[in-house]
């Protein structure tokens, strides 16, 4: 029974949940950070490639008088110094009888030394490197073939350390290798060195 001297309490309206608001805000913040990080990575790589004294040779491998650094000299892109130490005669396959890979054309094998010239560790990837032939055609490396030729095909290189690796490029038998284009990352400007 209700007491007539005391009014009935008003029921409180249900509280609105803000969970959806915080989830949307969190997702929006994540994408803002992601876009900012990508922009910073691209800007840093561009700064490394464009900074004075970073490249010894640059430009396309053409027969129009462009001067490329000769094989054996160090060229730099970003945080890496690259030296071509040897170019092997073309081969039709790499690896052994049971584990190996046959080329579609023939493999051009290029021995290089990669040195970290910065003060921080840097990741090396063979897939960032290209071979350019005398016709100006670009060839990417063959990572599977490189696995049969090297202990490691990608690695983190600490400051001042050197990593030696053999690059493999599957090219037509008629191709005449002219230059290698080295990159310290997928976003860097790159630098070229002659291989003939």
């Amino acid at each position: 029974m209700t007491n007539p001297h005391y009014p009935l309490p008003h029921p409180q309206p249900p509280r609105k949940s803000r969970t959806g608001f915080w989830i949307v805000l969190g997702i929006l913040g994540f994408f803002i950070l992601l876009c900012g990080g990508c922009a910073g990575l691209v800007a840093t790589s561009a700064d490394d490639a464009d900074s004075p004294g970073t490249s010894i040779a640059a430009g396309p491998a053409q027969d129009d008088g462009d001067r490329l650094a000769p094989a054996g000299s160090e060229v730099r892109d970003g945080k890496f110094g690259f030296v071509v130490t040897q170019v092997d005669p073309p081969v039709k396959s790499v690896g052994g009888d049971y584990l190996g890979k046959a080329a579609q054309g023939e493999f051009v094998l290029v021995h290089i030394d990669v040195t970290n010239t910065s003060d921080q560790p840097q990741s090396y990837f063979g897939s960032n490197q290209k071979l350019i032939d005398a016709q100006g055609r670009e060839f990417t490396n063959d990572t599977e073939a490189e696995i049969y030729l090297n202990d490691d095909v990608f690695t983190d290189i600490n400051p001042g350390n050197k990593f030696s690796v053999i690059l493999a490029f599957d090219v037509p038998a008629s191709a005449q290798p002219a230059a290698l284009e080295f990159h310290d990352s997928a976003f860097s400007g790159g630098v070229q060195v002659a291989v003939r």
Side-chain angles (χ1 to χ4, degrees):
M1 183 171 167
T2 349
N3 190 334
H5 301 292
Y6 297 105
L8 290 174
H10 294 289
Q12 295 289 330
R15 262 184 94 125
K16 292 184 181 178
S17 172
R18 292 186 168 223
T19 306
F21 170 76
W22 289 112
I23 289 173
V24 170
L25 192 61
I27 291 171
L28 183 62
F30 171 77
F31 281 111
I32 289 171
L33 288 173
L34 181 65
C35 292
C38 289
L41 179 63
V42 171
T44 301
S45 293
D47 288 346
D48 285 345
D50 294 337
S51 59
T54 340
S55 299
I56 293 175
Q62 299 172 354
D63 292 329
D64 61 357
D66 286 347
R67 298 239 6 201
L68 297 177
S73 61
E74 183 182 73
V75 292
R76 292 187 178 187
D77 182 64
K79 298 179 173 106
F80 283 151
F82 299 91
V83 177
V84 174
T85 58
Q86 180 180 332
V87 180
D88 292 341
V91 295
K92 291 291 187 185
S93 64
V94 294
D97 293 332
Y98 297 106
L99 291 175
K101 182 169 184 188
Q104 295 170 348
E106 59 187 17
F107 288 119
V108 174
L109 307 179
V110 182
H111 300 246
I112 65 169
D113 289 339
V114 185
T115 303
N116 184 342
T117 58
S118 74
D119 57 0
Q120 296 178 353
Q122 177 78 359
S123 297
Y124 165 82
F125 295 96
S127 57
N128 293 332
Q129 319 318 325
K130 299 175 185 175
L131 176 83
I132 301 169
D133 73 357
Q135 298 178 40
R137 297 179 294 184
E138 291 185 1
F139 300 90
T140 187
N141 75 316
D142 189 315
T143 303
E144 183 184 349
E146 290 174 7
I147 289 172
Y148 297 112
L149 298 167
N150 300 283
D151 293 331
D152 291 313
V153 293
F154 60 88
T155 189
D156 288 335
I157 306 174
N158 282 321
N161 283 351
K162 178 174 69 174
F163 174 63
S164 297
V165 65
I166 303 170
L167 297 173
F169 298 94
D170 191 345
V171 302
S174 60
Q176 296 178 357
L180 283 166
E181 185 172 295
F182 293 117
H183 294 266
D184 85 330
S185 73
F187 303 106
S188 71
V191 63
Q192 294 185 359
V193 62
V195 292
R196 60 175 180 163

